[in-house]
Amino acid sequence: MTTIMTTPTLATPSTLRDDLVNWVRPRVALVIDTDIDTRRICTDILDRQGWRVHVSTSADEGVDRSRIVNPDFIILDGSLRGPGNRDVIEYFRSVPATELIPIIMLNSDADSDSIKRGLAAGADIVLTKPLDPEEFVLRVDSLSRLHRIWRELKNERGVLGEQTRILSSLLELSALLARTEDLDTILAKTIATAAEITLCRRISVMLPNDDQTDLFIAAAQGINERIRSNVRLRVGESIAGRVFVTGRPIILNTQEDAAEYLDDRDLRLFNGLPMMCTPLCASERVIGVLNMTDRFHERPFSDNELSFLNLLTNCTASAIQNVRTRKARDEARDSIVIALAKLAEHRDDDTGKHLDRVTIFSLKLAESLRQTPHYETQIDDEFLWNLKRAAPLHDIGKVAIPDAILLKPGRLTDAEMIVMRTHARVGAETVRSLLDRTPDSMFLKMAEDIAVAHHEWFDGSGYPNGLSGAEIPLSARILALADVYDALRSERVYKRGISHRKSVEIIAEESGSHFDPEIVKAFLTLEAEFERLARDLSD
Ligand code: C2E
Ligand code: SIN
Ligand code: SIN
Ligand code: FE
């Protein structure tokens, strides 16, 4: 790595490139996991990639081992406790020898909280078991390359040349990509990083339409809005279309290069030379392209920049894939669940607007409670997001209630009321059965809480469990008030609707008995808005 360490500016292309690809000593990985299958899978994959792999079956052994084998990479079961019962990742991060080593934490549960905990403890990437081998290889590869170069640059004091700048941008990008699930954020950060690396001012990411026939601009900088929304290229045609098909980058530095390639459409994207178009590849598949042009000082692109851009586009592509699979799965599941809830609701409310109103009322209450010292720590953006999706499911258990009871025009007998009340428990069981299939869904966990506890009373006299006060999940306490306000205002088969004034009175009176007093307080500050919403969203 002499070139990098002694040259403050860009290294000559071939040297850096070779250094990126061929390491001087074999790359050493340490796998620490109690599970034999996981150890075997990791070892197989890494072995095939030319790694020298060491395994440990416990945290203490792993820590000892790390001192001996001096690994370039650690793969670690996130649930292990280390020396002195410390978090092992925290331990590795606190020791100079392992402080900067890339750590992939393996998690047996896809719950976003435990992923965040892993990242906070110092893992570079958290992957969920069972491992996707392709993703695993990609992640190990790009992460280890970045870290290796980064470390060597850091060790050579005083070298703060171009590579350092580029690598720190790349590290920052990969950290962000590991955390985000938002496509626009991924694309924006990719473009910003490409700009930092190449000093290009005109950059775009193009993605295909659903049919994979055309490419359009999904995100861009330095391209005016009219061009941005109008450019559409056939897959296979023009520069971007060809890169998308072949998976090979096209770099045009000179007029001669350009004469061979550019057509009119390209000129709208690339307003000058040099220009580069490089594929976004995930698991050998091209999922889009990155275009760069209008370069500062018009400096030609070099091979080693291409290497850096490869790292960049690999990170971006795998992050996009991740979001897509997760999004597709989440969307499919959510739409099924919501459809189920609407169906259930349809039996005793043919417009289904009750669900919309209760959801909006709940969100208003939660947003207002968030401003109070009492609840500000419990209610964050995620809580609101979950509540918005969970609230419509509160009465899903009514699917199990016979028409003769649910639709009875008069008062229910005690026996009928007992049956009616089972809707809370049945609802929770219904949600739980969905939850078993998708354990990572926080909103379904909240939906379960709400379904079972939305008829609990603050003083303990509600059903089905007679919980009181803070034993009742906050989400259910909020929903209870929203639900009752709407039930009071609405006409039901068994009763007429009553006025806003009267409803406010009833709720205020039941503060501390039926409802959480803090939530009633919030309601009373919002009641005018509730009245307006009830009018605007009436059946
Ligand atoms: P729902 O109609 O959506 O009512 C939800 C909750 O709003 C009720 O839970 C109750 O706490 C409150 N609520 C509704 N109407 C009134 C009212 O006129 N006065 C007061 N103070 N509170 C009211 P609850 O009682 O556990 O009932 C759960 C569900 O059972 C109701 O949902 C409804 O579907 C059914 N239900 C309750 N009572 C009767 C009834 O007499 N006849 C029929 N057919 N269904 C009933
Ligand atoms: C990395 O280089 O950190 C892996 C890229 C990714 O997060 O997808
Ligand atoms: C009812 O049984 O509908 C009235 C209960 C309540 O006071 O909310
Ligand atoms: Fe209910």
Side-chain angles (χ1 to χ4, degrees), residues 187-203:
L187 296 180
K189 186 69 192 170
T190 297
I191 287 176
T193 309
E196 278 168 35
I197 294 177
T198 62
L199 304 182
C200 284
R201 284 167 292 213
R202 192 178 175 94
I203 301 182

Side-chain angles (χ1 to χ4, degrees), residues 260-522:
E260 190 189 328
Y261 271 104
L262 284 179
D263 71 18
D264 288 353
R265 277 161 310 187
D266 293 326
L267 290 174
R268 288 185 299 175
L269 278 175
F270 306 104
N271 60 348
L273 297 175
M275 60 123 296
M276 152 140 55
C277 174
T278 172
L280 301 174
C281 297
S283 316
E284 313 268 303
R285 265 192 62 217
V286 183
I287 62 167
V289 299
L290 175 66
N291 299 311
M292 287 155 288
T293 183
D294 193 7
R295 194 164 194 211
F296 194 62
H297 290 329
E298 296 177 0
R299 200 172 58 184
F301 287 106
S302 64
D303 280 358
N304 59 16
E305 284 173 296
L306 190 55
S307 304
F308 288 127
L309 285 165
N310 266 339
L311 286 180
L312 166 77
T313 53
N314 283 345
C315 288
T316 300
S318 72
I320 293 174
Q321 277 303 69
N322 234 344
V323 170
R324 284 202 178 140
T325 38
R326 194 167 305 161
K327 212 165 132 195
R329 194 190 62 204
D330 287 356
E331 273 170 8
R333 181 196 57 212
D334 293 359
S335 58
I336 291 168
V337 173
I338 305 281
L340 200 60
K342 292 243 169 197
L343 195 71
E345 183 70 11
H346 206 71
R347 289 171 59 216
D348 62 338
D349 162 32
D350 29 63
T351 64
K353 283 193 181 153
H354 168 66
L355 290 183
D356 296 339
R357 286 189 303 261
V358 171
T359 304
I360 291 171
F361 292 149
S362 300
L363 285 171
K364 292 283 171 207
L365 289 172
E367 279 163 10
S368 161
L369 288 167
R370 189 185 190 173
Q371 313 301 323
T372 68
H374 212 81
Y375 287 119
E376 63 183 354
T377 53
Q378 288 183 67
I379 299 177
D380 55 14
D381 288 347
E382 205 176 329
F383 183 97
L384 295 176
W385 192 89
N386 288 331
L387 183 61
K388 183 174 170 185
R389 287 152 165 254
L393 303 180
H394 68 278
D395 266 344
I396 196 169
K398 283 185 178 172
V399 279
I401 307 300
D403 281 358
I405 296 177
L406 187 70
L407 304 179
K408 180 178 172 180
R411 285 205 72 81
L412 297 180
T413 63
D414 288 352
E416 287 164 339
M417 198 61 201
I418 287 168
V419 175
M420 187 67 219
R421 288 179 170 175
T422 61
H423 83 277
R425 219 169 246 145
V426 170
E429 277 159 20
T430 308
V431 175
R432 172 134 291 275
S433 68
L434 295 161
L435 202 51
D436 287 342
R437 261 173 279 161
T438 54
D440 57 330
S441 174
M442 292 307 286
F443 106 82
L444 285 179
K445 287 201 177 83
M446 185 182 277
E448 186 189 12
D449 286 347
I450 289 177
V452 74
H454 73 282
H455 288 292
E456 298 289 359
W457 281 37
F458 197 72
D459 64 6
S461 64
Y463 64 88
N465 295 314
L467 302 179
S468 65
E471 286 172 352
I472 309 165
L474 177 59
S475 54
R477 275 178 275 151
I478 292 172
L479 192 123
L481 196 155
D483 185 33
V484 171
Y485 174 79
D486 195 60
L488 289 170
R489 297 298 314 277
S490 306
E491 188 172 319
R492 293 272 198 269
V493 280
Y494 65 95
K495 66 167 203 64
R496 316 194 68 98
I498 61 175
S499 72
H500 173 73
R501 269 295 117 235
K502 186 83 186 113
S503 306
V504 174
E505 263 171 42
I506 291 173
I507 288 171
E509 207 165 286
E510 294 189 349
S511 174
S513 56
H514 190 164
F515 306 112
D516 179 339
E518 295 292 329
I519 300 176
V520 173
K521 233 188 267 167

Side-chain angles (χ1 to χ4, degrees), residues 6 11 32 61 210 250 255 259 295 321 366 378 424 477 519:
T6 55
I32 309 171
E61 192 194 323
D210 288 342
I250 293 179
Q255 287 300 338
R295 194 164 194 211
Q321 277 303 69
Q378 288 183 67
R477 275 178 275 151
I519 300 176

Side-chain angles (χ1 to χ4, degrees), residues 202-204 216-232 268-269:
R202 192 178 175 94
I203 301 182
S204 58
F216 64 92
I217 299 181
Q221 86 171 31
I223 296 182
N224 78 40
E225 190 46 46
R226 197 178 43 77
I227 294 185
R228 198 174 149 162
S229 47
N230 285 334
V231 170
R232 241 186 137 80
R268 288 185 299 175
L269 278 175

